[in-house]
Amino acid sequence: MTRPLLLAAALAATVLTAVPGVSLAGDASKVTLVYEHELPNVPGKSIRGVLVEYPPGGSSEGHTHPSSAFIYATVLEGAIRSQVNDGPVKVYRAGENFSEMPGDRHGVSANDSQTEPARLLAVFVVDTDETELVYPLK
């Protein structure tokens, strides 16, 4: 196996272990770990970038993240309907962003369109030893 194929296989395996518990209603979505790096000036912390692609009508189940995670999300395409904690449900369009603090609950995360896809990039600052980034709400 060539080096690029080995790297692709390793990244795929990392995605499957790093983002379990993300399930979407409607058509299947794509969740991809696109970046991971330990922070050299903050021992024990890493930054991870996760690309979430929602098909038309797609949505994630309500979830939380590790208690060490700070998340900054930017909508890259389309419009995302989101609710954090008991705040209002808001629609974020391409170029807009939101953040989640450690311990926040993300009750709504959905494509606001039934006809167009939507994508967002979620950037996590999280403890390096965290293996799961998403936990379903109970």
Side-chain angles (χ1 to χ4, degrees), residues 44-135:
K45 295 285 185 182
S46 289
I47 187 169
R48 295 184 190 155
V50 177
L51 179 65
V52 180
E53 299 174 272
Y54 290 109
S59 64
S60 299
E61 66 182 321
H63 59 273
T64 61
H65 301 285
S67 62
S68 68
F70 170 80
I71 300 111
Y72 170 82
T74 298
V75 178
L76 302 174
E77 175 185 10
I80 302 288
R81 195 169 54 256
S82 180
Q83 180 187 34
V84 177
N85 296 322
D86 296 324
V89 175
K90 295 182 182 180
V91 175
Y92 297 92
R93 302 190 186 291
E96 296 181 321
N97 55 70
F98 61 92
S99 58
E100 295 179 52
M101 302 299 159
D104 280 353
R105 294 176 334 279
H106 200 172
V108 175
S109 185
N111 185 341
D112 196 49
S113 174
Q114 296 297 315
T115 59
E116 300 294 325
R119 296 183 308 142
L120 71 85
L121 177 66
V123 178
F124 289 70
V125 176
V126 65
D127 287 349
T128 299
D129 61 358
E130 288 290 349
T131 58
E132 295 192 35
L133 296 179
V134 178
Y135 303 100

